[in-house]
């Protein structure tokens, strides 16, 4: 029997073991699920037309073709191989999700229009309304950039002062504890009086939401610095400026980054409220505008964009943190 098997392998009667081992099976499974989703999208009629059905099915087939190519050639990706292989199960789950999503919305109507939309309905929104969506992203990017970075800059300076100076902490910490728990949206009446334009008021709300957690976590980080570090630095002749800039702030950076992550999430949460103040465009404005007209497919499409933008910024912040805190690798656990 053993002789027969070895002879068959040499003659090419079945797949050689080397090919079977190099085959990326999750890629084939992902291709199968994506083709199934494409078959459901094209093969079953929509209860209510949504548009862009054929384009969505074409994208699914194209994705399935890519997965088939990856299944046979993933080893040629070099350093990217492990990253692609890691997301294989997610690609399978995504194909299953697309198939089920199509069935319960467009095909069977269990989740009816207008409250729910099939995936090709969301794709239709991106295709027909991409210009306005792009303008909204640009407006929100300007508002968020000004608000977030001004907020974390002020919050960082205040946090260092609170953690370093007892006198500043005596007066400042009670005020911070009083203002901190108040939602940023509660300050809208005051912003109408304090700021000459609604855009500046919106920047203030985003800055407030992002700056308070940075201030609190920075102050906590400076307070937790080991006093022995200061004693050693003073013995070597260090002054107050050196102690703050070269000892207290570097040692507090892990806490500062925790505050930055919290501020990032809070700033996105307050964007919708900030863009209620007379904004002409923006992601939050778009959500409110489309909700008023019961265009929930547009709302879901914009929510996906907001989630992707926030996730991308969080990923970017992780990269920055890993570079800045490379000297604490293995010491700080996240």
């Amino acid at each position: 029997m053993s002789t027969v098997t070895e002879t068959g392998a040499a003659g090419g009667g079945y797949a050689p073991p080397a090919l079977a081992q190099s085959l990326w099976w999750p890629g084939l499974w992902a291709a199968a699920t994506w083709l199934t989703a494409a078959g459901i999208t094209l093969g079953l009629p929509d209860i209510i037309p949504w548009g862009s059905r054929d384009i969505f099915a074409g994208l699914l087939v194209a994705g399935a073709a890519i997965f088939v190519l990856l299944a046979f050639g993933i080893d040629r990706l070099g350093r990217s191989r492990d990253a692609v292989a890691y997301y294989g199960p997610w690609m399978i789950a995504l194909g299953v999700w697309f198939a089920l999503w199509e069935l319960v919305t467009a095909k069977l109507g269990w989740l009816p229009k207008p409250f729910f939309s099939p995936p090709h309905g969301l794709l239709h929104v991106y295709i027909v309304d991409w210009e306005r969506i792009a303008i909204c992203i640009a407006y929100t990017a300007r508002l968020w950039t000004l608000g977030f970075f001004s907020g974390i800059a002020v919050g960082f300076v205040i946090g260092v002062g609170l953690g370093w100076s007892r006198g500043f902490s005596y007066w400042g910490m009670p005020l911070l504890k009083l203002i901190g728990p108040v939602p940023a949206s509660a300050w809208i009446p005051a912003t109408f009086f304090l700021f000459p334009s609604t855009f500046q008021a919106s920047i203030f709300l985003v800055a407030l939401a992002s700056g308070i957690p940075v201030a609190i976590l920075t102050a906590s980080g400076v307070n937790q610095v080991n006093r022995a570090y200061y004693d050693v630095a003073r013995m070597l002749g260090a002054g107050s400026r050196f102690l703050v800039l070269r000892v207290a702030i570097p040692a507090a950076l892990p806490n500062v980054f925790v505050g930055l992550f919290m501020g990032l999430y809070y700033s996105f949460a307050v964007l919708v409220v900030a863009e209620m103040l007379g904004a002409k465009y923006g992601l939050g404005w778009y959500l409110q505008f489309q909700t008023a007209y019961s265009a929930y497919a547009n709302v879901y499409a914009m929510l996906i964009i907001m989630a992707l933008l926030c996730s991308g910024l969080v990923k970017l912040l992780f990269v920055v943190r890993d570079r800045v805190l490379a000297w604490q690798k293995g010491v700080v656990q996240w």
Side-chain angles (χ1 to χ4, degrees), residues 84-108:
V84 174
Y86 176 80
Y87 288 104
W90 273 103
M91 295 300 104
I92 299 172
L94 194 58
V96 174
W97 170 250
F98 281 143
L100 294 177
W101 191 357
E102 283 285 344
L103 282 173
V104 300
T105 52
K107 309 307 178 185
L108 302 178

Side-chain angles (χ1 to χ4, degrees), residues 11 60 73 78 88 96-97 101 110 153-154 166 214 276 296 324 328:
L60 289 174
V96 174
W97 170 250
W101 191 357
W110 292 349
V154 174
R166 291 185 178 179
V214 174
M276 289 175 61
Y296 298 118
V324 174
Q328 288 196 338

